[in-house]
Amino acid sequence: PSPISLEETQDSIAEIIGAYPKKVARKRSKHIVVRDPSIPEQEINANARTTPGIITQRGCAFAGCKGVVVGPFGDCVHIVHGPIGCSYYSWLTRRNQFKPREDGKEFLHYCFSTDLNEHDVVFGGVNKLKQAVQEAYDIFQPKSITVHSTCPVGLIGDDIQGAAREMTQKLGLPVVAFNCEGYKGVSQSAGHHIANNGFFKHWIGNDTETEEIEGFTVNLMGEYNIGGDSWEIERVLEKCGIKVVSTFSGDASYDDAIKAHLAKVNLVMCHRSINYMASMMEEKYGTPWMKVNFIGVHAFAKSLRKIAKFFDDPALIQRVEDVIVEELAIAEAQLTQYRKRLEGKTVFLFVGGSRAHHYQELFADLGMKTIVAGYEFAHRDDYEGRQALPKIKVDADSRNIEELDVERDSERYNPPSDAEMERLRNEKIMNDYKGMMPDMGEGTLLVDNISHHELDVLIKRFKPDLIGSGIKDKYVIEKFGVPCKQLHNYDYGGPFAGFRGAVNFAKDVDLRVNSPTWQYIKAPWD
Ligand code: CFM
Ligand code: HCA
């Protein structure tokens, strides 16, 4: 249970809501919920439009498509079709890391843009785009070229899909266009959906030569290798004898992505950004998916066991147990010293669409309590969970997103038998997505799409020992004398996933929380 009393929590909500005009107050009340486990299916509103004038941490569809899901493919060239700003200000700001492959194709550090100007806005920018694709091809010969439109491109109606089709024909490599204009939807979430659709339509299954990949094969879905997380996850998976076919999209290559349909199971790490792909692959290839969490040593161990149970192979189950014992012992030996200094400290978590949940397990490993948490842009299922999601989920904000017609194509892939699927469902290995809410203790507070005003009130009243958040509020938080751990770019640290990552994290958090600096800070507004 939360150490904050129910009266104090309710009083704080009243103060927050009291500052808003009536209509806004009514809307925001539905996004602020005190956790009560005695309510069987407790609800919270999410994925709704932000009221203009309120400062939130959200991004846009362009950020979700180009920046988050597609951008990490380091052996492809990603061209931003639009004025230079969107490209320049998002250049290398997300910390997805990429290891150059033997063929030397590595373009992650470049910034490609068509640099649309007034002339193009008036007369159209398609020719300029085609020229940019040609130039990128001539200079770099990437594995694939992607095109991302920004707001003005959607407004003037440039046919980027037509241009991509034409250039695919001409160059003989996939040129994939994403209509991810920033204004679509209510957050970056719409961009994830657009990215998933594009990949599924133009990349998945492009390898028609490889018939089978032997072994316990998996795809890592929704793991973006921020600060090297995927490398720690892969180290342990490999040690267990589990083979990663492709990752969407951490340290990701086109050559692996086109083989994704050959893996036996999709491991879904960040459900929010990649569930569309998992559903579509299940529909088309019969590939089952399962939710995993690699953040926190016990969460990681639990996920490894779940994967072993999926394959149902005695030798694999034993090897996974051996690896867990070995890795856990090393990690625990180091975590103990930090736990002594961190035990009982309180945390707020406001991050994206999955980390506000995932990191609660890592904080629990350190003896720290998450007392307030919320996503920026996740949907209701990420809070409330669903035993089995509908196969192809149509979201409230997907009005502008083309729903793909997915047809079964099991000739190329041999899905688990009906009896096997039955076992997987019964053991809650498959399609079992619990969401954040059931994991939160009684009396804790959930705040969806938190605003700066709401954050200010909660900091003053609850005085947390640490806040896990992003760049847009980090320095506001620290001016209050509360340390902030950036859980998007990790404050340039990491990895934080897996066993070794947890130890890195503990050290980092200890340095922040137990630094004497904070007590000397006087907020400028005081
Ligand atoms: Fe998924 Fe992500 Fe997240 Fe996300 Fe993001 Fe990110 Fe995030 Mo920043 S894909 S939802 S859109 S886990 S970029 S790696 S840190 S907000 S919690
Ligand atoms: C994005 C990317 C971001 C931003 C981080 C932040 C990331 O949404 O465009 O707001 O601090 O992780 O880099 O989420």
PDB file of all heavy atoms in Angstrom, residues 13 15 59 61 69 112 115 195 206 216 254 278 291 302 307 318 340 370 391 394 439 458 461 495 502:
ATOM      1  N   ILE A  13      -5.803  15.552  -5.067  1.00  0.00           N
ATOM      2  CA  ILE A  13      -6.583  15.509  -6.312  1.00  0.00           C
ATOM      3  C   ILE A  13      -7.521  16.710  -6.354  1.00  0.00           C
ATOM      4  O   ILE A  13      -7.648  17.380  -7.385  1.00  0.00           O
ATOM      5  CB  ILE A  13      -7.384  14.182  -6.433  1.00  0.00           C
ATOM      6  CG1 ILE A  13      -6.425  12.999  -6.483  1.00  0.00           C
ATOM      7  CG2 ILE A  13      -8.268  14.193  -7.683  1.00  0.00           C
ATOM      8  CD1 ILE A  13      -7.107  11.631  -6.478  1.00  0.00           C
ATOM      9  N   GLU A  15      -7.093  19.596  -4.977  1.00  0.00           N
ATOM     10  CA  GLU A  15      -6.307  20.807  -5.279  1.00  0.00           C
ATOM     11  C   GLU A  15      -5.970  20.891  -6.774  1.00  0.00           C
ATOM     12  O   GLU A  15      -6.084  21.958  -7.385  1.00  0.00           O
ATOM     13  CB  GLU A  15      -5.009  20.818  -4.453  1.00  0.00           C
ATOM     14  CG  GLU A  15      -4.237  22.122  -4.656  1.00  0.00           C
ATOM     15  CD  GLU A  15      -2.891  22.166  -3.948  1.00  0.00           C
ATOM     16  OE1 GLU A  15      -2.684  21.435  -2.954  1.00  0.00           O
ATOM     17  OE2 GLU A  15      -2.033  22.949  -4.420  1.00  0.00           O
ATOM     18  N   GLY A  59       4.553  13.652 -27.487  1.00  0.00           N
ATOM     19  CA  GLY A  59       5.145  13.970 -28.779  1.00  0.00           C
ATOM     20  C   GLY A  59       4.087  13.807 -29.863  1.00  0.00           C
ATOM     21  O   GLY A  59       2.892  13.790 -29.577  1.00  0.00           O
ATOM     22  N   ALA A  61       2.886  12.119 -34.018  1.00  0.00           N
ATOM     23  CA  ALA A  61       2.897  10.902 -34.834  1.00  0.00           C
ATOM     24  C   ALA A  61       4.221  10.720 -35.576  1.00  0.00           C
ATOM     25  O   ALA A  61       4.723   9.604 -35.717  1.00  0.00           O
ATOM     26  CB  ALA A  61       1.738  10.926 -35.821  1.00  0.00           C
ATOM     27  N   VAL A  69       9.911   3.928 -33.960  1.00  0.00           N
ATOM     28  CA  VAL A  69       9.837   2.551 -34.464  1.00  0.00           C
ATOM     29  C   VAL A  69      10.726   2.316 -35.688  1.00  0.00           C
ATOM     30  O   VAL A  69      11.423   1.311 -35.778  1.00  0.00           O
ATOM     31  CB  VAL A  69       8.365   2.155 -34.767  1.00  0.00           C
ATOM     32  CG1 VAL A  69       8.284   0.721 -35.273  1.00  0.00           C
ATOM     33  CG2 VAL A  69       7.500   2.298 -33.510  1.00  0.00           C
ATOM     34  N   PHE A 112      18.798  12.920 -42.696  1.00  0.00           N
ATOM     35  CA  PHE A 112      18.379  13.087 -44.087  1.00  0.00           C
ATOM     36  C   PHE A 112      17.065  13.863 -44.165  1.00  0.00           C
ATOM     37  O   PHE A 112      16.096  13.486 -43.503  1.00  0.00           O
ATOM     38  CB  PHE A 112      18.149  11.721 -44.748  1.00  0.00           C
ATOM     39  CG  PHE A 112      19.371  10.847 -44.809  1.00  0.00           C
ATOM     40  CD1 PHE A 112      19.657   9.957 -43.778  1.00  0.00           C
ATOM     41  CD2 PHE A 112      20.226  10.902 -45.901  1.00  0.00           C
ATOM     42  CE1 PHE A 112      20.774   9.136 -43.843  1.00  0.00           C
ATOM     43  CE2 PHE A 112      21.348  10.082 -45.968  1.00  0.00           C
ATOM     44  CZ  PHE A 112      21.624   9.193 -44.928  1.00  0.00           C
ATOM     45  N   ASP A 115      14.309  19.093 -46.946  1.00  0.00           N
ATOM     46  CA  ASP A 115      14.437  20.536 -46.734  1.00  0.00           C
ATOM     47  C   ASP A 115      13.386  21.316 -47.542  1.00  0.00           C
ATOM     48  O   ASP A 115      13.710  22.201 -48.326  1.00  0.00           O
ATOM     49  CB  ASP A 115      15.872  20.956 -47.124  1.00  0.00           C
ATOM     50  CG  ASP A 115      16.142  22.421 -46.838  1.00  0.00           C
ATOM     51  OD1 ASP A 115      15.420  23.010 -46.026  1.00  0.00           O
ATOM     52  OD2 ASP A 115      17.079  22.977 -47.450  1.00  0.00           O
ATOM     53  N   ALA A 195       3.779   3.055 -38.481  1.00  0.00           N
ATOM     54  CA  ALA A 195       5.058   2.373 -38.700  1.00  0.00           C
ATOM     55  C   ALA A 195       4.857   0.862 -38.777  1.00  0.00           C
ATOM     56  O   ALA A 195       5.377   0.191 -39.681  1.00  0.00           O
ATOM     57  CB  ALA A 195       6.025   2.709 -37.561  1.00  0.00           C
ATOM     58  N   ASN A 206       9.729 -10.591 -46.771  1.00  0.00           N
ATOM     59  CA  ASN A 206      10.447 -10.337 -48.029  1.00  0.00           C
ATOM     60  C   ASN A 206      11.520 -11.387 -48.310  1.00  0.00           C
ATOM     61  O   ASN A 206      11.922 -11.576 -49.450  1.00  0.00           O
ATOM     62  CB  ASN A 206      11.109  -8.952 -48.012  1.00  0.00           C
ATOM     63  CG  ASN A 206      10.127  -7.856 -48.377  1.00  0.00           C
ATOM     64  OD1 ASN A 206       8.938  -8.119 -48.546  1.00  0.00           O
ATOM     65  ND2 ASN A 206      10.618  -6.631 -48.485  1.00  0.00           N
ATOM     66  N   PHE A 216      15.333 -22.579 -30.966  1.00  0.00           N
ATOM     67  CA  PHE A 216      14.313 -21.850 -30.199  1.00  0.00           C
ATOM     68  C   PHE A 216      14.355 -20.402 -30.658  1.00  0.00           C
ATOM     69  O   PHE A 216      15.046 -19.573 -30.094  1.00  0.00           O
ATOM     70  CB  PHE A 216      14.589 -21.967 -28.704  1.00  0.00           C
ATOM     71  CG  PHE A 216      14.701 -23.393 -28.232  1.00  0.00           C
ATOM     72  CD1 PHE A 216      15.893 -23.893 -27.731  1.00  0.00           C
ATOM     73  CD2 PHE A 216      13.602 -24.240 -28.302  1.00  0.00           C
ATOM     74  CE1 PHE A 216      15.989 -25.202 -27.298  1.00  0.00           C
ATOM     75  CE2 PHE A 216      13.690 -25.556 -27.874  1.00  0.00           C
ATOM     76  CZ  PHE A 216      14.890 -26.042 -27.374  1.00  0.00           C
ATOM     77  N   TYR A 254      17.716  -4.611 -41.688  1.00  0.00           N
ATOM     78  CA  TYR A 254      16.703  -4.993 -42.672  1.00  0.00           C
ATOM     79  C   TYR A 254      16.753  -6.492 -42.968  1.00  0.00           C
ATOM     80  O   TYR A 254      15.732  -7.162 -43.031  1.00  0.00           O
ATOM     81  CB  TYR A 254      16.896  -4.170 -43.954  1.00  0.00           C
ATOM     82  CG  TYR A 254      16.017  -4.622 -45.094  1.00  0.00           C
ATOM     83  CD1 TYR A 254      14.670  -4.274 -45.135  1.00  0.00           C
ATOM     84  CD2 TYR A 254      16.529  -5.410 -46.123  1.00  0.00           C
ATOM     85  CE1 TYR A 254      13.850  -4.696 -46.168  1.00  0.00           C
ATOM     86  CE2 TYR A 254      15.716  -5.842 -47.163  1.00  0.00           C
ATOM     87  CZ  TYR A 254      14.374  -5.486 -47.195  1.00  0.00           C
ATOM     88  OH  TYR A 254      13.571  -5.918 -48.210  1.00  0.00           O
ATOM     89  N   ALA A 278       2.431  -7.599 -33.770  1.00  0.00           N
ATOM     90  CA  ALA A 278       2.258  -8.916 -33.156  1.00  0.00           C
ATOM     91  C   ALA A 278       0.905  -9.512 -33.562  1.00  0.00           C
ATOM     92  O   ALA A 278       0.824 -10.689 -33.917  1.00  0.00           O
ATOM     93  CB  ALA A 278       2.380  -8.816 -31.643  1.00  0.00           C
ATOM     94  N   LYS A 291       3.680 -11.458 -23.776  1.00  0.00           N
ATOM     95  CA  LYS A 291       4.181 -10.233 -23.147  1.00  0.00           C
ATOM     96  C   LYS A 291       5.334 -10.611 -22.217  1.00  0.00           C
ATOM     97  O   LYS A 291       5.233 -11.564 -21.449  1.00  0.00           O
ATOM     98  CB  LYS A 291       3.037  -9.584 -22.359  1.00  0.00           C
ATOM     99  CG  LYS A 291       3.417  -8.312 -21.628  1.00  0.00           C
ATOM    100  CD  LYS A 291       3.598  -7.140 -22.572  1.00  0.00           C
ATOM    101  CE  LYS A 291       4.097  -5.910 -21.821  1.00  0.00           C
ATOM    102  NZ  LYS A 291       5.514  -5.988 -21.436  1.00  0.00           N
ATOM    103  N   LYS A 302      11.477 -14.116 -14.534  1.00  0.00           N
ATOM    104  CA  LYS A 302      10.115 -14.582 -14.775  1.00  0.00           C
ATOM    105  C   LYS A 302       9.839 -14.692 -16.287  1.00  0.00           C
ATOM    106  O   LYS A 302       9.247 -15.669 -16.755  1.00  0.00           O
ATOM    107  CB  LYS A 302       9.140 -13.576 -14.140  1.00  0.00           C
ATOM    108  CG  LYS A 302       7.797 -14.137 -13.797  1.00  0.00           C
ATOM    109  CD  LYS A 302       7.029 -13.153 -12.912  1.00  0.00           C
ATOM    110  CE  LYS A 302       5.656 -12.910 -13.488  1.00  0.00           C
ATOM    111  NZ  LYS A 302       4.987 -11.734 -12.945  1.00  0.00           N
ATOM    112  N   ILE A 307       9.318 -17.948 -21.429  1.00  0.00           N
ATOM    113  CA  ILE A 307       9.777 -18.318 -22.776  1.00  0.00           C
ATOM    114  C   ILE A 307      10.083 -19.826 -22.815  1.00  0.00           C
ATOM    115  O   ILE A 307       9.688 -20.529 -23.745  1.00  0.00           O
ATOM    116  CB  ILE A 307      11.032 -17.505 -23.186  1.00  0.00           C
ATOM    117  CG1 ILE A 307      10.719 -16.000 -23.175  1.00  0.00           C
ATOM    118  CG2 ILE A 307      11.542 -17.928 -24.552  1.00  0.00           C
ATOM    119  CD1 ILE A 307      11.948 -15.097 -23.170  1.00  0.00           C
ATOM    120  N   GLN A 318      15.810 -26.457 -18.115  1.00  0.00           N
ATOM    121  CA  GLN A 318      16.916 -26.622 -17.167  1.00  0.00           C
ATOM    122  C   GLN A 318      17.994 -25.557 -17.379  1.00  0.00           C
ATOM    123  O   GLN A 318      18.486 -24.945 -16.441  1.00  0.00           O
ATOM    124  CB  GLN A 318      17.511 -28.039 -17.307  1.00  0.00           C
ATOM    125  CG  GLN A 318      18.537 -28.386 -16.225  1.00  0.00           C
ATOM    126  CD  GLN A 318      17.985 -28.159 -14.810  1.00  0.00           C
ATOM    127  OE1 GLN A 318      16.907 -28.651 -14.462  1.00  0.00           O
ATOM    128  NE2 GLN A 318      18.682 -27.364 -13.989  1.00  0.00           N
ATOM    129  N   LYS A 340      20.349  -1.434   0.687  1.00  0.00           N
ATOM    130  CA  LYS A 340      20.465  -0.903   2.050  1.00  0.00           C
ATOM    131  C   LYS A 340      20.277   0.605   2.077  1.00  0.00           C
ATOM    132  O   LYS A 340      19.751   1.165   3.022  1.00  0.00           O
ATOM    133  CB  LYS A 340      21.848  -1.243   2.619  1.00  0.00           C
ATOM    134  CG  LYS A 340      21.936  -2.643   3.177  1.00  0.00           C
ATOM    135  CD  LYS A 340      23.284  -2.865   3.856  1.00  0.00           C
ATOM    136  CE  LYS A 340      23.649  -4.330   3.775  1.00  0.00           C
ATOM    137  NZ  LYS A 340      25.067  -4.549   3.460  1.00  0.00           N
ATOM    138  N   THR A 370       6.854   2.632  -5.831  1.00  0.00           N
ATOM    139  CA  THR A 370       6.252   3.560  -6.790  1.00  0.00           C
ATOM    140  C   THR A 370       4.904   3.999  -6.236  1.00  0.00           C
ATOM    141  O   THR A 370       4.007   3.179  -6.081  1.00  0.00           O
ATOM    142  CB  THR A 370       6.078   2.878  -8.159  1.00  0.00           C
ATOM    143  OG1 THR A 370       7.358   2.359  -8.550  1.00  0.00           O
ATOM    144  CG2 THR A 370       5.575   3.856  -9.199  1.00  0.00           C
ATOM    145  N   LYS A 391      -7.966  -9.615 -32.208  1.00  0.00           N
ATOM    146  CA  LYS A 391      -6.859  -9.910 -33.113  1.00  0.00           C
ATOM    147  C   LYS A 391      -6.268  -8.660 -33.754  1.00  0.00           C
ATOM    148  O   LYS A 391      -5.099  -8.397 -33.643  1.00  0.00           O
ATOM    149  CB  LYS A 391      -7.319 -10.888 -34.194  1.00  0.00           C
ATOM    150  CG  LYS A 391      -7.445 -12.291 -33.643  1.00  0.00           C
ATOM    151  CD  LYS A 391      -6.486 -13.216 -34.340  1.00  0.00           C
ATOM    152  CE  LYS A 391      -6.270 -14.466 -33.523  1.00  0.00           C
ATOM    153  NZ  LYS A 391      -6.697 -15.675 -34.191  1.00  0.00           N
ATOM    154  N   VAL A 394      -8.604  -1.971 -33.390  1.00  0.00           N
ATOM    155  CA  VAL A 394      -8.823  -0.671 -34.003  1.00  0.00           C
ATOM    156  C   VAL A 394      -8.890   0.365 -32.889  1.00  0.00           C
ATOM    157  O   VAL A 394      -9.726   0.274 -31.999  1.00  0.00           O
ATOM    158  CB  VAL A 394     -10.142  -0.650 -34.814  1.00  0.00           C
ATOM    159  CG1 VAL A 394     -10.315   0.689 -35.506  1.00  0.00           C
ATOM    160  CG2 VAL A 394     -10.134  -1.769 -35.833  1.00  0.00           C
ATOM    161  N   ASP A 439      -0.840  -4.205 -11.073  1.00  0.00           N
ATOM    162  CA  ASP A 439       0.438  -4.323 -10.363  1.00  0.00           C
ATOM    163  C   ASP A 439       0.650  -3.212  -9.338  1.00  0.00           C
ATOM    164  O   ASP A 439       1.635  -3.219  -8.615  1.00  0.00           O
ATOM    165  CB  ASP A 439       1.615  -4.302 -11.360  1.00  0.00           C
ATOM    166  CG  ASP A 439       1.823  -5.663 -12.006  1.00  0.00           C
ATOM    167  OD1 ASP A 439       1.258  -6.642 -11.477  1.00  0.00           O
ATOM    168  OD2 ASP A 439       2.540  -5.740 -13.013  1.00  0.00           O
ATOM    169  N   LEU A 458       1.726  17.503  -6.940  1.00  0.00           N
ATOM    170  CA  LEU A 458       2.073  16.206  -6.351  1.00  0.00           C
ATOM    171  C   LEU A 458       3.483  16.207  -5.748  1.00  0.00           C
ATOM    172  O   LEU A 458       3.731  15.571  -4.720  1.00  0.00           O
ATOM    173  CB  LEU A 458       1.910  15.090  -7.376  1.00  0.00           C
ATOM    174  CG  LEU A 458       0.451  14.817  -7.781  1.00  0.00           C
ATOM    175  CD1 LEU A 458       0.374  13.841  -8.942  1.00  0.00           C
ATOM    176  CD2 LEU A 458      -0.365  14.299  -6.590  1.00  0.00           C
ATOM    177  N   ARG A 461       3.283  18.061  -2.368  1.00  0.00           N
ATOM    178  CA  ARG A 461       2.529  17.391  -1.311  1.00  0.00           C
ATOM    179  C   ARG A 461       3.096  16.024  -0.935  1.00  0.00           C
ATOM    180  O   ARG A 461       3.102  15.662   0.234  1.00  0.00           O
ATOM    181  CB  ARG A 461       1.067  17.272  -1.720  1.00  0.00           C
ATOM    182  CG  ARG A 461       0.463  18.666  -1.968  1.00  0.00           C
ATOM    183  CD  ARG A 461      -1.012  18.612  -2.188  1.00  0.00           C
ATOM    184  NE  ARG A 461      -1.713  18.142  -1.003  1.00  0.00           N
ATOM    185  CZ  ARG A 461      -2.824  18.703  -0.516  1.00  0.00           C
ATOM    186  NH1 ARG A 461      -3.335  19.757  -1.082  1.00  0.00           N
ATOM    187  NH2 ARG A 461      -3.418  18.178   0.532  1.00  0.00           N
ATOM    188  N   PRO A 495      23.396   0.152 -20.145  1.00  0.00           N
ATOM    189  CA  PRO A 495      22.045  -0.392 -20.174  1.00  0.00           C
ATOM    190  C   PRO A 495      21.451  -0.572 -18.782  1.00  0.00           C
ATOM    191  O   PRO A 495      22.185  -0.696 -17.815  1.00  0.00           O
ATOM    192  CB  PRO A 495      22.242  -1.761 -20.839  1.00  0.00           C
ATOM    193  CG  PRO A 495      23.646  -2.153 -20.530  1.00  0.00           C
ATOM    194  CD  PRO A 495      24.405  -0.865 -20.512  1.00  0.00           C
ATOM    195  N   ALA A 502      20.471  -3.943 -14.261  1.00  0.00           N
ATOM    196  CA  ALA A 502      19.874  -3.611 -12.965  1.00  0.00           C
ATOM    197  C   ALA A 502      20.941  -3.070 -12.017  1.00  0.00           C
ATOM    198  O   ALA A 502      20.684  -2.135 -11.244  1.00  0.00           O
ATOM    199  CB  ALA A 502      19.195  -4.843 -12.376  1.00  0.00           C
TER     200      ALA A 502
END
